[in-house]
Amino acid sequence: MQTFAILGSHPTLSLAELAVITGQKPTQTVGDVAIFDDMSENLETLNAKLGGIQKIGVIIGSVPTWNHADLAEFLVNDLLSESAEGKIHFGTSVYNLGNNSGTENARRNASKLGMEIKSELQKADHPARYVISSSPTLSSVVITKNHLLERGAEYCFFVSTTEILIGKTVGVQDVDAWAGRDFGRPRRNAKQGMLPPKLARMMVNLSGADVSSSTVMDPFCGSGTILMEAALLGAQSLVGSDINAEATADTKENLEWMRNQGMPMPPYKLYPNSAQTVSLNLKPGSIDAIVTETYLGRPRKGTETHREVDDAISYVANLYREAFTAIAPSLRSGAMLLIAAPVHTFEGKDIAFDARTILEPLGYTHSPLPYEPVIYRHDGQLVGRRMWRFTKN
């Protein structure tokens, strides 16, 4: 069965996460749309695990062109076949799959189709509500607040040059849960920088580690975002460290807040140590996976010279040599590392060090991610993050 995913704000990162978790790459991608032919995972379970998708669903049919009568009959029958008691709630979204003019035509006519479906349902003695928004696609928030997946359906139309695929959404991002862990946690330190929970989740998934049987470590833990997401993915145990004692105190408060909220929390240990010295507290071979955003350097102002940017990169590169040399004995053979390293933008070009030249001489093997280079950076940011994956020899 064909499936679809609506990708997040960084589509390449989302595709890499999907590829690592499912082993699948899409047969078609345009913008934030990905169509898969052979995805066998339970989509609701997959949706709950991923950090980088907005919605996911199945392709239930196709038509050669936009035709009100055919589409209305097909969707009315689908809604009636699975309708629960009470009012049916449904909505539509139109996505471009490579046909600009066809997509615009479909978007112009989507509301008319929705009203026609509503009318046919009412004729069949089924009260219905057609949910619309100012956007041609319904957001996760709109879908959730209007209970479309529980009381009816969201239908997605993917308009290509050869056909229009009809998708039915199975799951959407739990926006409230993500926001709760981001803004609801007790400790957020803007001065140290804050890793978004969705990115932290993607990083844990990108590691490729079997988290449920792993001790996951973050040696630059900050306020603990990566450890929080590893806990939710079922990590066996957690280890965190940070040179800033305030950071590890923040991490502890956030992890205990999760526990008090009823979220899963495995045993954990936190150390106010630098990455270069934390291994003094660890047993050899006790760590199964490292997932970390390392120190990215001082915040950029945009007025730096090329020499100053080079110096900043050299400083972090040396930190890598020291930290991952010291940590190596604590890692078991085959341990996975997922590292977010800094990528600087200077005069329109990316400047960064090659992590392979640093880690491979230290006993780590580069394990390329799908779609490399995988970079997380918003428009206008002077320092982004490149994801690197390694395996401990």
Side-chain angles (χ1 to χ4, degrees):
M1 179 180 289
Q2 281 187 306
T3 59
F4 70 86
I6 306 303
L7 310 172
S9 60
H10 291 71
T12 300
L13 184 60
S14 300
L15 288 172
E17 182 190 26
L18 275 162
V20 170
I21 295 300
T22 69
Q24 301 293 323
K25 290 187 176 182
T27 54
Q28 298 180 73
T29 56
V30 175
D32 61 355
V33 177
I35 306 294
F36 298 82
D37 279 350
D38 301 312
M39 192 177 290
S40 58
E41 282 78 4
N42 179 288
L43 296 188
E44 291 182 348
T45 301
L46 185 61
N47 176 65
K49 185 173 187 177
L50 297 170
I53 61 167
Q54 301 177 54
K55 60 180 80 167
I56 196 166
V58 296
I59 303 298
I60 60 173
S62 66
V63 292
T65 58
W66 187 271
N67 181 292
H68 277 306
D70 291 345
L71 287 170
E73 180 181 6
F74 180 82
L75 297 181
V76 166
N77 288 336
D78 186 74
L79 284 167
L80 291 177
S81 69
E82 297 188 19
S83 63
E85 294 183 3
K87 182 180 286 188
I88 296 174
H89 295 206
F90 72 98
T92 58
S93 293
V94 179
Y95 291 93
N96 187 354
L97 199 59
N99 184 342
N100 294 335
S101 61
T103 300
E104 289 304 314
N105 177 65
R107 287 175 174 172
R108 283 193 300 269
N109 289 284
S111 293
K112 181 180 177 182
L113 172 64
M115 297 308 296
E116 189 169 337
I117 293 170
K118 179 179 177 179
S119 176
E120 291 300 316
L121 290 171
Q122 291 173 333
K123 289 178 183 178
D125 294 324
H126 280 273
R129 178 169 175 247
Y130 174 49
V131 175
I132 61 174
S133 76
S134 58
S135 169
T137 60
L138 300 182
S139 69
S140 299
V141 173
V142 170
I143 292 168
T144 300
K145 289 189 174 180
N146 289 280
H147 308 287
L148 297 191
L149 304 190
E150 298 89 354
R151 301 180 185 175
E154 186 214 16
Y155 296 106
C156 297
F157 304 105
F158 303 100
V159 186
S160 75
T161 55
T162 58
E163 63 183 343
I164 300 175
L165 297 176
I166 305 169
K168 189 172 184 177
T169 302
V170 171
V172 299
Q173 280 188 340
D174 189 340
V175 177
D176 290 338
W178 287 113
R181 292 198 302 282
D182 195 358
F183 302 104
R185 55 184 165 172
R187 304 303 298 174
R188 300 177 81 248
N189 193 325
K191 291 182 180 179
Q192 292 185 36
M194 291 177 292
L195 188 70
K198 289 179 186 177
L199 178 58
R201 173 68 64 90
M202 285 188 275
M203 289 171 62
V204 177
N205 284 331
L206 285 170
S207 74
D210 182 2
V211 175
S212 63
S213 61
S214 296
T215 294
V216 178
M217 178 182 184
D218 183 354
F220 299 84
C221 68
S223 58
T225 310
I226 287 173
L227 298 179
M228 292 169 69
E229 296 305 314
L232 289 171
L233 288 172
Q236 189 176 74
S237 60
L238 305 171
V239 176
S241 68
D242 199 287
I243 194 171
N244 186 337
E246 181 183 353
T248 52
D250 289 349
T251 295
K252 181 176 182 179
E253 191 168 344
N254 285 336
L255 294 180
E256 288 304 313
W257 170 79
M258 283 183 61
R259 190 198 304 277
N260 293 334
Q261 294 289 315
M263 298 182 224
M265 183 52 55
Y268 65 84
K269 293 182 178 180
L270 303 172
Y271 302 101
N273 290 88
S274 69
Q276 295 94 319
T277 63
V278 67
S279 59
L280 298 174
N281 301 292
L282 306 175
K283 294 180 180 180
S286 61
I287 304 299
D288 301 301
I290 284 181
V291 181
T292 190
E293 177 186 81
T294 62
Y295 177 62
L296 300 179
R298 293 180 179 178
R300 289 272 307 277
K301 297 179 180 179
T303 57
E304 295 84 3
T305 65
H306 197 299
R307 175 63 181 272
E308 288 172 326
V309 173
D310 284 342
D311 288 345
I313 291 170
S314 296
Y315 179 87
V316 178
N318 188 60
L319 172 64
Y320 272 47
R321 290 187 188 92
E322 295 177 354
F324 292 106
T325 297
I327 290 172
S330 304
L331 302 178
R332 69 165 177 81
S333 177
M336 303 301 298
L337 291 81
L338 195 287
I339 306 166
V343 178
H344 290 255
T345 298
F346 185 83
E347 295 183 349
K349 296 181 180 180
D350 285 344
I351 306 176
F353 56 80
D354 187 333
R356 291 169 295 190
T357 64
I358 299 172
L359 271 74
E360 289 191 334
L362 303 178
Y364 303 90
T365 298
H366 181 224
S367 298
L369 290 165
Y371 304 98
E372 283 208 341
V374 179
I375 296 175
Y376 179 93
R377 176 174 50 212
H378 289 292
D379 290 343
Q381 279 190 323
L382 296 175
V383 183
R385 306 157 168 109
R386 175 171 177 177
M387 305 301 159
W388 291 95
R389 188 170 65 175
F390 293 88
T391 305
K392 178 67 172 62
N393 296 343

